[in-house]
Amino acid sequence: MDMRWFPIGNIADIPLRGARCVKTPEGKIAVFRTAENEVFAIDDHCPHKGGPLSQGIVHAKAVTCPLHNWVISLETGKALGADKGAVRTIPLRNVDGALFIALERLMAAAE
């Protein structure tokens, strides 16, 4: 199955070490921009108590949840350290600064 990519904005819309949320039929997606100008997309809820990861602190390729300080990898979606759990990572493309995500429900609806 070919992926369908949906535009969500521009990398310039996201501050360095910051995030923005995208509302989709699959829920809120947090899109992060690291200090190294890399972008990642994951579900916007911590696997621990559902905290808003988009409001957390971005460091290296991870985000610290603002509620209970769980650290989540932006690359894998997995909790780091002794904590257990994971969030879904979303395929994301950066094409000359334009950002696109691929979501299964949107793909199915578009076909």
Side-chain angles (χ1 to χ4, degrees), residues 70-107:
W70 276 40
V71 178
I72 307 298
S73 167
L74 296 175
E75 293 179 298
T76 65
K78 293 181 181 175
L80 301 175
D83 298 321
K84 302 288 182 204
V87 296
R88 179 178 58 147
T89 59
I90 311 300
L92 183 143
R93 279 188 180 163
N94 179 354
V95 181
D96 298 324
L99 302 178
F100 301 84
I101 58 173
L103 294 174
E104 291 176 19
R105 188 172 300 160
L106 290 176
M107 290 188 318

Side-chain angles (χ1 to χ4, degrees), residues 12-26:
D13 299 334
I14 307 170
L16 285 174
R17 295 184 313 278
R20 70 181 279 250
C21 281
V22 178
K23 291 182 182 175
T24 76
E26 295 187 19

Side-chain angles (χ1 to χ4, degrees), residues 5-72:
W5 295 90
F6 298 89
I8 58 167
N10 194 286
I11 192 169
D13 299 334
I14 307 170
L16 285 174
R17 295 184 313 278
R20 70 181 279 250
C21 281
V22 178
K23 291 182 182 175
T24 76
E26 295 187 19
K28 286 170 85 175
I29 305 297
V31 182
F32 296 89
R33 181 178 177 192
T34 69
E36 292 77 31
N37 232 14
E38 292 180 276
V39 285
F40 298 93
I42 62 176
D43 281 333
D44 188 30
H45 62 270
C46 181
H48 176 228
K49 298 277 185 180
L53 294 174
S54 61
Q55 296 176 25
I57 297 170
V58 178
H59 46 95
K61 294 181 185 180
V63 61
T64 298
C65 179
L67 293 187
H68 300 101
N69 294 323
W70 276 40
V71 178
I72 307 298

